[in-house]
């Protein structure tokens, strides 16, 4: 039986994106060590490969601060075509990898484009498939979580106070992202991070409760529980 991946939904909704229906982007990042650990705990277990121990991209998602639903699967632009992003394959494989080798090579990018990217095309900087992936990569590089945490002495393999991590991110980013965790034997492993920005890509404090409950976190992987006061930043 083919495993259920963290970017595959059990149901599909079609919502046409309109300017009045969404007012922000959620840049979602994943810590790959935690993702692979939880994939092993799945039943049945999923084969997961850590290509590099860097914060990787999950997606860039048009979202709404004050609505119950976000636009998804919008039929307002072309379906995925891998040739449109051929010159981005190298950075995509590094920063936006498909960590599940038993799935089609381009399936993760295809899913993110068709569920989220096609809804973002009314914004000029994400107005095509190539622009969407290129912009997301540039945001990942601009807000380099690996460097931000490392420069503050927060490195994988140790436990930290969640508030200390939040304070570092607030100081360096100028806004408050959301940190999400997975529970392993009552130890909360850092799993994911969401950075919130408006349609002009200006950062602001994430509305934590609403983001954590959004529909794009309705699958088990990556884990997305609220973190406790003490968290583990796993190395392997």
């Amino acid at each position: 039986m083919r495993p259920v991946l963290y970017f595959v939904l059990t149901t599909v909704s079609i919502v046409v994106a309109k300017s009045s229906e969404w007012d922000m982007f959620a840049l979602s990042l994943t810590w790959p060590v935690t993702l692979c650990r939880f994939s092993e705990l799945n039943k049945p277990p999923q084969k997961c490969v850590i290509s590099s121990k860097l914060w990787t991209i999950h997606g860039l998602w048009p979202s709404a601060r004050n609505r119950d639903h976000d636009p998804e699967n919008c039929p307002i632009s072309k379906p995925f075509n891998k040739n449109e992003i051929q010159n981005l394959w190298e950075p995509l494989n590094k920063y936006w990898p498909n960590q599940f080798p038993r799935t089609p090579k381009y399936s993760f990018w295809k899913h993110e484009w068709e569920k989220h990217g096609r809804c973002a095309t009314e914004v000029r900087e994400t107005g095509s498939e190539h622009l969407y992936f290129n912009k997301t990569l540039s945001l990942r590089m601009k807000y380099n979580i690996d460097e931000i945490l490392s420069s503050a002495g927060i490195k994988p393999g140790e436990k930290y106070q969640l508030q200390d991590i939040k304070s570092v991110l607030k100081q360096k980013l100028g806004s408050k992202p959301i940190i999400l965790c997975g529970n392993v034997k009552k130890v909360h492993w850092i799993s994911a991070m969401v950075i919130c920005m408006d349609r002009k890509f200006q950062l602001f404090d994430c509305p934590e409760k609403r983001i954590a409950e959004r529909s794009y976190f309705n699958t088990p992987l990556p884990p997305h529980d609220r973190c406790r006061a003490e968290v583990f930043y796993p190395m392997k």
Side-chain angles (χ1 to χ4, degrees):
M1 179 168 56
R2 176 173 292 187
V4 179
L5 302 184
Y6 73 103
F7 50 83
V8 177
L9 298 179
T10 56
T11 60
V12 175
S13 60
I14 298 178
V15 181
V16 177
K18 298 178 181 178
S19 298
S20 61
E21 292 184 345
W22 66 279
D23 58 0
M24 62 169 280
F25 286 100
L27 175 64
S28 181
L29 305 175
T30 298
W31 183 240
V33 177
T34 304
L35 174 63
C36 283
R37 173 60 173 156
F38 274 77
S39 72
E40 294 169 359
L41 297 175
N42 258 16
K43 295 182 179 180
Q46 301 177 30
K47 183 175 177 58
C48 179
V49 175
I50 302 173
S51 56
S52 63
K53 291 179 182 177
L54 298 171
W55 281 89
T56 58
I57 299 166
H58 187 166
L60 181 66
W61 306 330
S63 306
R65 279 174 271 195
N66 298 307
R67 295 177 66 91
D68 293 333
H69 302 286
D70 300 309
E72 297 178 355
N73 303 291
C74 304
I76 61 173
S77 51
K78 295 179 180 179
F80 180 77
N81 179 355
K82 67 181 187 295
N83 295 323
E84 293 290 328
I85 54 172
Q86 186 171 359
N87 69 328
L88 299 176
W89 286 355
E90 182 176 351
L92 285 172
N93 280 316
K94 181 176 182 179
Y95 296 109
W96 201 336
N98 178 357
Q99 292 180 232
F100 298 94
R102 293 176 180 170
T103 62
K105 182 177 180 179
Y106 307 102
S107 58
F108 188 17
W109 305 336
K110 180 178 186 294
H111 168 82
E112 288 299 314
W113 167 250
E114 297 198 342
K115 183 181 178 185
H116 301 289
R118 294 178 72 186
C119 300
T121 52
E122 63 180 25
V123 173
R124 181 179 59 83
E125 291 184 73
T126 53
S128 69
E129 181 181 328
H130 188 277
L131 288 172
Y132 171 78
F133 282 96
N134 190 60
K135 181 63 177 180
T136 307
L137 285 167
S138 72
L139 291 169
R140 161 61 180 82
M141 300 307 297
K142 181 177 182 179
Y143 305 117
N144 191 326
I145 300 302
D146 304 281
E147 290 186 1
I148 289 173
L149 295 180
S150 179
S151 66
I154 299 172
K155 299 180 180 180
E158 302 291 339
K159 292 182 179 179
Y160 299 94
Q161 292 299 305
L162 178 63
Q163 188 55 51
D164 291 342
I165 298 176
K166 287 183 173 181
S167 295
V168 168
L169 292 168
K170 173 67 174 179
Q171 179 183 10
K172 296 295 185 178
L173 296 174
S175 65
K176 294 179 182 179
I178 292 173
I179 302 171
L180 300 169
C181 289
N183 187 353
V184 180
K185 297 181 180 179
K186 298 184 179 180
V187 176
H188 274 215
W189 290 33
I190 294 175
S191 170
M193 189 178 303
V194 179
I195 301 172
C196 297
M197 57 196 75
D198 63 24
R199 289 163 60 109
K200 294 182 179 180
F201 303 98
Q202 300 300 306
L203 303 194
F204 62 87
D205 292 352
C206 286
E208 185 165 350
K209 183 176 185 297
R210 293 185 63 83
I211 293 295
E213 295 174 352
R214 302 310 267 185
S215 62
Y216 35 65
F217 285 124
N218 67 351
T219 52
L221 294 176
H224 50 273
D225 299 327
R226 293 181 181 276
C227 300
R228 292 180 178 175
E230 184 180 72
V231 296
F232 179 47
Y233 189 12
M235 180 179 292
K236 60 180 181 180

